[in-house]
Amino acid sequence: MAPSYQRHQLQVHGVVQGVGFRPFVFGLAERWRLAGFVRNCSWGVLIEIEGPADDLEQFLQALYDELPPLARLDAVERIVLPLDADPVDTTPSRHPNANPDTVHDSTVHDSTLFAIEDSQDAAGDFTSVSPDVATCDACLTELFDPSDRRYRYPFINCTHCGPRFTIICDIPYDRPFTTMADFPMCAACRQEYDDPRDRRFHAQPNACPVCGPAIWFVDSPDASNHSLRRPTASVPIPLGDRAIERFIDAMFEGKIVAVKGIGGFHLACDASSDMAVALMRLRKGRGEKPLAVMVRDLDAARRYAHVSPREAQILCSRQRPIVLLRPREKGTQLSRHVAYRNGRIGLMLPYSPLHHLLVQDRPLVFTSGNLSDEPIVRTNEEAITRLSPLADAFLLHDRDIHAVCDDSVALVIGDTEIPVRRSRGYAPLPVALPCTLPSLLAVGAELKSTFCLTRDQYVFMSQHIGDMENIETIHAFQRALDHLSRLFRVAPMLVACDLHPDYLSTRVAEGFAQQRSLPLVRVQHHHAHIAAVLAEHQLPPDEQVIGVCFDGTGFGTDGTIWGGEFLLADAQRFQRLAHLRPVPIPGGDAATRLPYRTALAYLHAAGLPWVPQLPSVKHCDEQSARLLQRQLERRLNCVAASSMGRLFDAVSSLIGLCHVPTYEAQAAMELESAALTAEHHKATNYAIEIDEDARRHTMLLEWQPLLSQLCHDVQRKVSPSAIALGFHRAVANATVEVCRRIASSSGLQTVALSGGVFQNLLLTENITRQLAISGFHVLTHRLVPPNDAGLSLGQAFVAGTLATARP
């Protein structure tokens, strides 16, 4: 019996452009000898396919089972067409605003032909864009093969690897819409680009030494001379080799070199040189904040840090984030200046061909190319202007960076990857929501700024922007917003921001909304944190959880600083059920810069004497102590704070670890590091008491008895590490007990954890383990950071669901 022939149209949505998806479809069609075509569209990929029904089903199954490594399918809509029908309108029903005249102008009837057709654009449509990804094994093999025409070429790539998000200016993802538009392909590259059986078929950054970008090395550059342009050379490969040799020489000489990468500039130096790393810190204004280190391979990483199988998997992943690892204490080459008094070291592996050529046997510091608190540098011109005071030399190239994208950072808690900074390798992949939201902009918070745009059921998170504390970061924010709005065709109808009136991000949101006459929704900080977890796990907007949010600061609905919160929350509303007893903090938010003053404020609130044996008291001179005492007694410029982050700061100072930090959360991080070194059987036993206020229907976590005992132990010269571990255990025990009591009265058994304090590995592992033993279902962050970088997602979920709930 003759096979039953059918013709199907497939509308494919997801990450399906620039990732080798069309040649993959072509190969499947050839395997089963099917007729038809495949085409990029603004909304994704359109496939029309014709052949025996059984073969079509096998084709469709293989479409899911054998995806190219960078592709991701969000939805495949199938329409069965008549065999004699003309091709139908390529605009899916989910995109009603697309141009109805955009129709393919040919028919598909030839049973032996399958074609890859030119891209097609339709106004208003969008598709997902692939992040930048690490160099694949096939390209690495060619990179180090002397017989290959791309031998040691720093820009080798294919459809399975290389830059994507940072070079794309608009969709569809075709070369004219990327920063590679200025590099016409040579005949050999064009042949690869046009061959659907080649892995470089329609690889938009495809290039070689003959026709592509080049690198060059510059000493003592001058923006007015020719150092910004590629030097004249008859053969580009030796030019690149000379640049790499000069870079390696500079590393041996202890110099700092500004290196233009995929998503911006890095500052690089020899990580084994005390002199070079100390100079880097001094010039960059880095203080004691840890520096990221790039090492050659996984074996090298294991020489400098303890690497679990899960951590190894993340280090070697195509995202290649910086991974925060436990350092080895002895026998490493790393300078002592790389990370001070920190229980973690940030290591990453090379992720671009240039890195593979630069990183030899010795480790290199690779830190963001900027002055501290400024956005990273993007262009050669900016680098010469802004980085000349920091760098001794420059390694430049002439492939433009359209979108700045800093390195991502991750850590592993238990066996789960927790994002600390979500940027290169992850942005701008969307987060899928459990419901459709109106198009909106959520601007995030002030520190670790990100924003997000929503469309349909997707949230498009921006790359890391930085701390919104200066005009340069605002400009970077606006540039990134313009880029994402254009890529994903989003015109916000609503704006969401933090409740804090003085955040610069709040003022940006107010200006944006006012200029466009859009409604502005102010979302309480900790509600947004919990809502971000709910959005990640796709909980329905009306599903309540016990939300535990621990961070440094967040503006409360009562005008005080919150940060040690237990909420009964869903996406639309929350109720504050428990919190740390508030403490009047002198200077409010500014107290984060002076933990010793915070410690003295806690002592005052607890009625404990400022005895000179306590390190916090000893650090404060007599005159400052008298003024502070008077300020606390009169409540002058004091803001009540129920912040877990401030409690961590106070304890860190009280036991002599950190009095004046040089970077955010340093005091708390050093407290965790001390606890990790403690012998468990020597940990002190502390308890945070829980006081139920029946009149207010809340619980107060009373930290005063703990503080009294802790001060007593400090004066008895108990080791700081034993005190630190005992403190962590007390916080974990109290957290679990409060959750048990809330569950008893509410019947809820799901707990969501969020806030920057939950980047503390020791605390988070303890709490999640105890909660699981107690029968709770625990939700933690896996797609966006628990710190304020994930806040925009929660703001969007809250504001969007509130907007759709209104009549």
Side-chain angles (χ1 to χ4, degrees):
M1 183 177 296
S4 170
Y5 271 70
Q6 291 183 356
R7 179 177 173 187
H8 293 174
Q9 183 187 88
L10 305 177
Q11 298 170 358
V12 186
H13 303 268
V15 182
V16 287
Q17 293 190 18
V19 293
F21 186 74
R22 288 181 298 165
F24 161 67
V25 171
F26 180 91
L28 295 183
E30 277 200 327
R31 185 188 305 174
W32 281 287
R33 302 182 62 81
L34 302 172
F37 68 85
V38 60
R39 176 197 307 152
N40 276 351
C41 299
S42 303
W43 45 263
V45 166
L46 176 75
I47 303 170
E48 287 200 10
I49 194 83
E50 181 180 316
D54 289 347
D55 291 346
L56 290 178
E57 290 304 317
Q58 292 185 72
F59 169 90
L60 188 62
Q61 190 60 47
L63 201 67
Y64 286 97
D65 294 344
E66 302 176 25
L67 272 180
L70 304 186
R72 188 184 82 183
L73 299 187
D74 291 338
V76 178
E77 301 173 28
R78 175 161 56 164
I79 302 171
V80 179
L81 303 175
L83 286 173
D84 58 351
D86 289 336
V88 300
D89 188 336
T90 61
T91 303
S93 57
R94 68 162 66 184
H95 297 283
N97 297 323
N99 183 354
D101 298 325
T102 306
V103 181
H104 185 59
D105 59 1
S106 66
T107 56
V108 179
H109 293 294
D110 191 333
S111 61
T112 63
L113 178 65
F114 190 90
I116 297 177
E117 300 196 340
D118 290 340
S119 299
Q120 195 170 66
D121 193 13
D125 285 339
F126 74 98
T127 189
S128 294
V129 173
S130 170
D132 307 295
V133 288
T135 310
C136 69
D137 290 342
C139 283
L140 278 180
T141 299
E142 294 172 349
L143 181 68
F144 293 108
D145 180 358
S147 66
D148 193 276
R149 71 188 189 93
R150 292 187 177 87
Y151 175 58
R152 295 181 63 81
Y153 181 56
F155 301 93
I156 190 170
N157 68 87
C158 68
T159 54
H160 299 154
C161 68
R164 296 291 190 277
F165 174 57
T166 53
I167 65 169
I168 183 171
C169 306
D170 205 346
I171 56 172
Y173 177 61
D174 289 326
R175 196 175 181 106
F177 300 115
T178 73
T179 60
M180 288 297 294
D182 293 334
F183 296 94
M185 283 179 279
C186 65
C189 286
R190 170 58 69 176
Q191 183 176 2
E192 296 168 331
Y193 184 88
D194 289 337
D195 182 358
R197 295 170 183 83
D198 194 288
R199 81 173 197 279
R200 292 190 171 92
F201 174 76
H202 280 221
Q204 306 308 337
N206 188 34
C208 73
V210 174
C211 63
I215 61 170
W216 63 96
F217 191 89
V218 180
D219 284 305
S220 304
D222 183 344
S224 63
N225 67 21
H226 297 289
S227 61
L228 298 178
R229 295 188 293 275
R230 179 199 304 207
T232 302
S234 57
V235 184
I237 286 186
L239 174 67
D241 275 348
R242 285 198 300 275
I244 291 165
E245 288 172 5
R246 292 180 68 185
F247 171 87
I248 293 171
D249 288 344
M251 294 297 99
F252 275 102
E253 294 165 7
K255 292 182 177 180
I256 297 170
V257 179
V259 180
K260 188 177 183 182
I262 287 179
F265 274 78
H266 285 101
L267 293 170
C269 73
D270 181 356
S272 64
S273 166
D274 283 347
M275 181 192 71
V277 179
L279 183 62
M280 172 86 80
R281 287 192 176 280
L282 178 65
R283 289 184 182 176
K284 191 173 161 65
R286 183 78 174 189
E288 297 181 340
K289 188 174 183 180
L291 293 162
V293 175
M294 185 177 286
V295 295
R296 186 171 190 169
D297 52 29
L298 186 58
D299 287 339
R302 288 184 169 127
R303 288 199 293 272
Y304 305 119
H306 301 275
V307 183
S308 71
R310 181 71 177 116
E311 289 165 337
Q313 185 182 34
I314 297 168
L315 273 171
C316 298
S317 70
R318 54 178 175 261
Q319 291 84 10
R320 295 288 169 101
I322 299 166
V323 182
L324 303 181
L325 305 166
R326 289 183 299 118
R328 293 191 183 276
E329 295 181 5
K330 297 179 181 178
T332 75
Q333 289 179 278
L334 293 183
S335 164
R336 60 191 174 88
H337 297 302
V338 166
Y340 298 109
R341 300 182 305 281
N342 195 295
R344 293 285 179 271
I345 183 172
L347 296 185
M348 61 177 160
L349 303 187
Y351 56 83
S352 77
L354 179 60
H355 294 150
H356 284 281
L357 296 170
L358 297 181
V359 181
Q360 305 289 315
D361 292 332
R362 62 178 57 206
L364 299 180
V365 167
F366 257 75
T367 189
S368 302
N370 59 351
L371 275 169
S372 293
D373 301 325
E374 288 186 3
I376 61 173
V377 168
R378 180 175 64 91
T379 68
N380 293 347
E381 291 79 6
E382 278 185 282
I384 302 305
T385 302
R386 290 172 52 193
L387 298 183
S388 287
L390 311 183
D392 300 303
F394 292 75
L395 185 60
L396 303 176
H397 65 71
D398 53 359
R399 184 178 67 199
D400 287 344
I401 298 167
H402 187 75
V404 167
C405 205
D406 211 340
D407 293 318
S408 294
V409 182
L411 59 84
V412 173
I413 296 181
D415 203 39
T416 301
E417 178 183 356
I418 305 294
V420 175
R421 181 200 292 161
R422 184 185 187 269
S423 204
R424 177 191 49 77
Y426 300 87
L429 286 176
V431 176
L433 295 176
C435 57
T436 297
L437 298 183
S439 294
L440 64 85
L441 164 67
V443 300
E446 185 159 81
L447 300 180
K448 301 178 177 64
S449 174
T450 65
F451 66 86
C452 70
L453 294 164
T454 66
R455 177 159 178 181
D456 301 332
Q457 74 274 35
Y458 295 111
V459 177
F460 296 97
M461 299 285 297
S462 78
Q463 66 272 41
H464 171 75
I465 305 296
D467 293 347
M468 289 279 281
E469 295 180 327
N470 53 55
I471 192 66
E472 293 84 6
T473 309
I474 292 178
H475 290 159
F477 179 99
Q478 187 61 57
R479 179 180 174 84
L481 176 58
D482 291 344
H483 186 219
L484 260 65
S485 299
R486 184 168 59 255
L487 286 185
F488 302 120
R489 309 296 198 254
V490 178
M493 298 183 294
L494 179 70
V495 183
C497 68
D498 194 87
L499 196 62
H500 200 300
D502 295 329
Y503 278 176
L504 205 49
S505 60
T506 300
R507 295 173 187 172
V508 168
E510 290 169 344
F512 187 95
Q514 186 175 20
Q515 290 170 8
R516 294 161 179 80
S517 300
L518 298 176
L520 179 66
V521 178
R522 302 175 193 272
V523 182
Q524 199 281 323
H525 192 90
H526 303 98
H527 185 203
H529 267 302
I530 299 303
V533 186
L534 306 186
E536 276 193 43
H537 290 269
Q538 297 193 317
L539 266 65
D542 59 351
E543 183 170 335
Q544 287 189 321
V545 300
I546 301 168
V548 182
C549 190
F550 292 164
D551 65 0
T553 183
F555 197 74
T557 56
D558 58 1
T560 67
I561 296 173
W562 294 4
E565 311 304 314
F566 294 80
L567 310 178
L568 187 67
D570 59 27
Q572 298 178 27
R573 61 191 66 83
F574 74 94
Q575 181 183 356
R576 192 186 193 198
L577 296 184
H579 57 86
L580 286 171
R581 176 172 287 282
V583 180
I585 302 288
D589 288 349
T592 59
R593 303 183 186 95
L594 298 170
Y596 79 92
R597 286 170 60 91
T598 302
L600 297 179
Y602 271 83
L603 293 177
H604 182 271
L608 297 172
W610 293 3
V611 295
Q613 293 90 341
L614 296 175
S616 306
V617 178
K618 189 181 301 183
H619 185 82
C620 188
D621 64 82
E622 289 186 14
Q623 182 179 357
S624 297
R626 284 196 300 270
L627 290 173
L628 182 59
Q629 183 83 36
R630 194 175 305 128
Q631 184 179 3
L632 290 167
E633 289 171 351
R634 299 178 182 179
R635 297 284 186 101
L636 294 174
N637 193 29
C638 291
V639 180
S642 60
S643 164
M644 185 63 76
R646 297 294 75 78
L647 181 58
F648 268 75
D649 286 352
V651 172
S652 181
S653 177
L654 283 169
I655 65 176
L657 297 178
C658 182
H659 303 302
V660 182
T662 62
Y663 62 92
E664 190 212 357
Q666 180 180 357
M669 291 169 67
E670 291 188 8
L671 186 65
E672 179 193 8
S673 298
L676 288 168
T677 66
E679 297 181 48
H680 282 240
H681 67 281
K682 292 185 178 179
T684 53
N685 291 315
Y686 302 131
I688 294 176
E689 298 178 1
I690 301 167
D691 179 21
E692 300 204 30
D693 188 334
R695 183 173 60 86
R696 296 185 179 181
H697 304 288
T698 60
M699 287 178 275
L700 285 177
L701 280 73
E702 305 285 4
W703 44 265
Q704 304 94 311
L706 176 151
L707 209 67
S708 177
Q709 187 179 350
L710 183 149
C711 290
H712 179 66
D713 286 342
V714 170
Q715 293 174 73
R716 290 195 306 117
K717 301 190 182 306
V718 175
S719 77
S721 61
I723 296 173
L725 180 57
F727 171 75
H728 277 76
R729 289 179 175 176
V731 172
N733 293 342
T735 301
V736 174
E737 178 57 27
V738 172
C739 289
R740 288 194 191 107
R741 296 190 190 189
I742 294 175
S744 177
S745 61
S746 68
L748 297 175
Q749 287 294 311
T750 299
V751 177
L753 307 178
S754 189
V757 172
F758 285 108
Q759 290 170 180
N760 182 311
L761 182 148
L762 181 63
L763 181 70
T764 304
E765 284 189 336
N766 195 334
I767 290 174
T768 54
R769 182 179 64 252
Q770 288 194 57
L771 286 172
I773 291 171
S774 298
F776 288 99
H777 176 48
V778 183
L779 305 179
T780 59
H781 287 280
R782 301 185 180 191
L783 301 179
V784 301
N787 60 49
D788 283 1
L791 206 71
S792 60
L793 173 61
Q795 291 173 347
F797 198 31
V798 172
T801 54
L802 284 172
T804 55
R806 294 191 184 108

